[in-house]
Amino acid sequence: MCGIVGYVGEREALPIILKALKRIEYRGYDSCGVLVQNQGEMMGHKEVGAIDCLVSSLPESGYEGKIAIGHSRWATHGAPTVTNAHPHLDCNGEIAVVHNGIIENYQSIKEGVLCDCIFKSETDTEVIPHLINICLKRKLSPTELHSGELNALQVKEAVKEALSYLRGSYAILVAVKGFDGLVAARKESPLILGVGDREFFLASDVPAVLDQTNRIIFLEEEDLVVVEKDSIYIENGGSEVKREESLIEWTIEDAEKGGYEHFMLKEIHEEPKAIRDTLMGYLTEGRINLGLDFIVDAESILLVACGTSYYAALCGKYIIENLAKIPVRIEVASEFNYSDFVLDGSKVVAMAITQSGETADTLTALKKAKGYGCKTVAITNVLGSSATRLADETIYSRAGPEIGVAATKSFITQLIIFYLLGLFLSKMPASVFAEHINELKRMPQIAQRVLDEVNIQKHARYLSKYEHTFFVGRGVNLPISLEGALKLKEISYIHAEGYAAGELKHGPFALLTEDTPVIAILTRDDIYEKTLGNVKEIKARGSPVIAIAEEGDEEVEKYVDDVIRVPRTSALFSPIPNTVALHLLAYWTAKERGCEIDKPRNLAKSVTVE
Ligand code: F6R
């Protein structure tokens, strides 16, 4: 997904911009570019491929300067080419823009107000510098226009007028020849401002600038910002506004690999800590405080999410309905957004589950739920993300920064939030509540035991030789089988399907052969015998079966080919050890196949387009 960075200050800007772009490589991109203002000259350079290619193809001189912008692009309009890479410039090469988001009406702008302009790229973004150019010309007298110097007010007003033409989403940085600063603006796309000593950093996300400063301003929806090395000015709705700085406590080390070969492995190993941190945030002396007292009045809950977060939500439905006996409806955000949904918002609390807090479909769903009059809650892992700004309330999952594209520790902390929510909403007797809390408090240790005791690598070696697999489970472990399949397919490229164990016989049986291993979650719950029955049916069709089963369950060995043993918990909490085991299985299988684990092909960490 696109990333933007900018610098204004007293140091050489280019090395700072390049380092910042490297730090956000995890977002996924296919081309990149930088632009430095060198003594009033606009020096741009772009490349297809990695930041390292950009660095090695940069000329040795000509890119000195104290103001620069940079961009990593994930193609949406136009192929990943040098021409389509950002920054984009106006026809005179004097106004440069990097952009994250989508301008929906760019075609009509090209045919309308910009009909005389010649465009170089196929991008939606290129209309922005051209628009700023015409707006600037409208505002300046001929003397001002030819003076070669521009002030902050002139540039800000031109950018503001240009933005009024745009429909869609954007976080933009604008550099203008003759102006010693940058202008930035955001609408439905994240943008942060890092504050240093006589210097400022602008970026789409915090890790981009965290090695330079931990003083961060999270810009609000429709903020327009002007930064010069000694000043910052923020405007919203036509008036100046003050935005508070947050001190970010994540260290750079937090965001680095910490000795593991891949971020994903490090992040799986952080699952026990992430669970503990999340519990600590909301659980004191056996009492749950989510800071959301209004949800106790909800007659039902609506959960909207995408991808892995959707599977967490599906698990959340089982958990909340079991513990709190409140009906929960869950919707894939991209479907909910365009459905004829009937909803009485006064009775429903809508929750958006999104680790990044930036997933476009989920944000749209949140807006739609608000439109129905629902009270809204964001469950997210990213402080200051767009979801937190949109929702009435936020519950943070405290997983810490997650760099690997595949969600792991953020997923498991989403599950923990659902246990907390279910218990918070429950009306169970105090003694039963206390038993559940005690079980919940064991989860960091249970997750740790999976990491310490389960020898997953032998199973991964076995699985890595196949091209097709099924993951099956029932009840609260159905979503966990879906998650296991998603994780395996996205990082190992093995075709994996998650299924309700009882459903295979309704069609997928036709695919079962000795070359389609099945991973079956066989937790000792109320329907254990039924799931075991499903496994026997699968075995009878010739597929090898690996079970994920609890220690002490000897029976299962009679019916399957191999067993991944996980610590015993009460059935409702079994998704925690099962998830850790499946995350490890996906990781080690992908490693066995030599895949590029942290950045799987075609995927991005946050999906900010619909
Ligand atoms: C898979 C994965 C994705 C995300 C999905 C939603 O490992 O990470 O499926 O879960 O793109 O992202 P968020 O949770 O940021 O809304």
Side-chain angles (χ1 to χ4, degrees):
M1 201 56 52
C2 303
I4 61 176
V5 292
Y7 176 80
V8 178
E10 296 189 316
R11 293 188 282 157
E12 278 304 319
L14 183 63
I16 296 170
I17 291 296
L18 292 171
K19 209 164 162 201
L21 287 175
K22 283 290 287 178
R23 286 216 174 281
I24 52 171
E25 277 193 303
Y26 64 88
R27 289 172 68 97
Y29 65 102
D30 45 44
S31 53
C32 47
V34 288
L35 181 133
V36 183
Q37 281 209 42
N38 178 349
Q39 298 176 351
E41 289 309 309
M42 308 291 271
M43 300 298 295
H45 188 69
K46 313 196 269 193
E47 269 296 343
V48 173
I51 311 293
D52 287 342
C53 304
L54 182 79
V55 173
S56 53
S57 64
L58 262 164
E60 278 188 8
S61 63
Y63 288 79
E64 298 78 22
K66 312 287 163 73
I67 299 172
I69 54 178
H71 189 265
S72 50
R73 174 172 188 255
W74 189 68
T76 52
H77 291 74
T81 60
V82 170
T83 313
N84 286 335
H86 301 209
H88 288 287
L89 291 123
D90 70 319
C91 45
N92 304 320
E94 294 181 346
I95 298 167
V97 172
V98 289
H99 166 223
N100 185 7
I102 288 184
I103 306 304
E104 285 169 6
N105 59 335
Y106 77 104
Q107 202 58 46
S108 61
I109 293 175
K110 276 183 168 182
E111 287 158 14
V113 63
L114 298 181
C115 62
D116 292 333
C117 293
I118 295 169
F119 292 89
K120 291 188 177 141
S121 76
E122 304 156 85
T123 66
D124 51 339
T125 303
E126 202 184 346
V127 297
I128 306 174
H130 287 279
L131 279 172
I132 298 171
N133 176 33
I134 59 164
C135 295
L136 201 54
K137 278 193 196 136
R138 273 187 212 147
K139 293 196 182 303
L140 299 183
S141 66
T143 337
E144 286 171 326
L145 197 56
H146 296 112
S147 73
E149 281 187 20
L150 294 167
N151 65 38
L153 184 66
Q154 291 163 333
V155 179
K156 181 201 79 178
E157 287 302 314
V159 172
K160 191 155 86 180
E161 192 185 337
L163 293 179
S164 69
Y165 286 90
L166 305 181
R167 262 204 341 264
S169 62
Y170 53 78
I172 55 162
L173 304 182
V174 185
V176 181
K177 185 173 171 177
F179 171 56
D180 286 338
L182 292 176
V183 179
R186 67 156 287 187
K187 182 168 173 263
E188 295 175 22
S189 256
L191 187 63
I192 60 104
L193 175 65
V195 181
D197 184 14
R198 302 194 76 201
E199 58 183 3
F200 295 99
F201 310 85
L202 286 148
S204 41
D205 24 6
V206 175
V209 303
L210 208 49
D211 59 337
Q212 306 289 346
T213 182
N214 68 344
R215 295 165 57 196
I216 303 292
I217 295 174
F218 292 99
L219 294 165
E220 301 269 343
E221 194 58 3
E222 307 211 16
D223 275 355
L224 178 64
V225 184
V226 185
V227 284
E228 293 168 276
K229 73 175 182 214
D230 291 319
S231 68
I232 111 176
Y233 169 87
I234 308 177
E235 183 178 300
N236 196 301
S239 324
E240 183 174 5
V241 288
K242 295 282 172 219
R243 299 276 178 238
E244 293 213 345
E245 279 177 36
S246 305
L247 275 188
I248 299 297
E249 281 160 18
W250 300 350
T251 60
I252 288 294
E253 219 178 311
D254 281 337
E256 287 176 351
K257 286 187 201 150
Y260 290 95
E261 189 177 345
H262 295 99
F263 280 113
M264 182 177 175
L265 187 60
K266 172 177 177 265
E267 286 155 7
I268 297 171
H269 279 263
E270 287 169 347
E271 288 182 350
K273 179 177 182 301
I275 296 171
R276 192 173 297 112
D277 288 350
T278 304
L279 286 177
M280 269 169 47
Y282 302 106
L283 193 58
T284 340
E285 293 170 359
R287 291 170 60 103
I288 295 167
N289 181 6
L290 292 166
L292 298 178
D293 293 340
F294 67 85
I295 56 171
V296 292
D297 299 326
E299 286 182 16
S300 71
I301 292 174
L302 168 70
L303 302 177
V304 288
C306 302
T308 279
S309 294
Y310 174 78
Y311 296 147
L314 183 54
C315 203
K317 172 181 163 70
Y318 284 94
I319 294 167
I320 295 171
E321 289 183 347
N322 178 298
L323 293 171
K325 317 291 179 218
I326 293 179
V328 179
R329 175 166 182 170
I330 81 157
E331 295 287 328
V332 170
S334 55
E335 286 301 309
F336 171 70
N337 294 339
Y338 302 101
S339 63
D340 302 319
F341 203 78
V342 182
L343 184 66
D344 175 356
S346 63
K347 299 188 173 137
V348 181
V349 171
M351 300 191 178
I353 299 88
T354 164
Q355 65 78 23
S356 64
E358 302 295 349
T359 301
D361 286 320
T362 308
L363 296 178
T364 307
L366 201 50
K367 286 181 205 153
K368 179 158 174 165
K370 278 192 131 176
Y372 284 115
C374 297
K375 273 267 195 193
T376 53
V377 178
I379 299 177
T380 185
N381 193 40
V382 180
L383 186 77
S385 58
S386 302
T388 68
R389 282 145 208 286
L390 262 179
D392 298 315
E393 301 291 342
T394 296
I395 306 177
Y396 287 111
S397 53
R398 296 170 189 236
E402 189 174 71
I403 307 294
V405 163
T408 51
K409 60 177 179 166
S410 64
F411 173 81
I412 214 155
T413 53
Q414 288 169 342
L415 299 186
I416 295 297
I417 297 287
F418 286 121
Y419 289 113
L420 288 165
L421 258 171
L423 286 167
F424 177 73
L425 292 169
S426 74
K427 298 195 172 58
M428 58 183 62
S431 59
V432 185
F433 180 84
E435 272 172 35
H436 281 303
I437 292 287
N438 285 340
E439 190 67 347
L440 188 54
K441 280 166 54 185
R442 273 188 347 113
M443 289 306 120
Q445 179 204 337
I446 292 283
Q448 190 61 52
R449 283 192 52 207
V450 179
L451 294 170
D452 295 343
E453 296 167 18
V454 180
N455 175 11
I456 214 86
Q457 292 176 40
K458 104 172 177 188
H459 304 288
R461 260 193 305 279
Y462 170 80
L463 202 59
S464 67
K465 300 190 177 64
Y466 293 90
E467 291 308 322
H468 304 279
T469 58
F470 283 94
F471 284 67
V472 296
R474 294 184 75 137
V476 73
N477 279 304
L478 165 60
I480 305 307
S481 64
L482 299 171
E483 164 68 0
L486 176 65
K487 222 90 304 179
L488 186 75
K489 77 181 98 173
E490 71 179 313
I491 62 164
S492 76
Y493 312 144
I494 294 175
H495 171 215
E497 289 198 44
Y499 253 92
E503 273 289 297
L504 285 198
K505 56 180 165 299
H506 299 291
F509 264 16
L511 294 172
L512 294 185
T513 69
E514 59 190 19
D515 290 324
T516 41
V518 177
I519 316 298
I521 303 180
L522 265 167
T523 298
R524 276 208 168 262
D525 52 16
D526 294 349
I527 44 170
Y528 174 78
E529 293 299 336
K530 294 231 178 292
T531 320
L532 199 56
N534 300 142
V535 165
K536 290 177 195 167
E537 294 159 6
I538 292 165
K539 276 297 299 168
R541 268 82 196 165
S543 287
V545 176
I546 301 176
I548 299 190
E550 296 161 3
E551 53 197 9
D553 177 0
E554 306 303 334
E555 196 184 353
V556 71
E557 278 175 15
K558 297 183 213 153
Y559 305 104
V560 301
D561 298 273
D562 214 339
V563 184
I564 297 171
R565 289 277 171 204
V566 292
R568 194 180 170 85
T569 61
S570 73
L572 188 66
F573 291 88
S574 62
I576 299 297
N578 294 340
T579 294
V580 183
L582 287 174
H583 284 170
L584 284 172
L585 185 66
Y587 173 83
W588 287 107
T589 308
K591 166 107 175 80
E592 202 61 44
R593 288 165 71 98
C595 298
E596 216 188 322
I597 293 175
D598 283 333
K599 282 181 232 146
R601 68 182 176 218
N602 304 335
L603 296 180
K605 183 69 184 164
S606 55
V607 185
T608 53
V609 289
E610 281 192 28

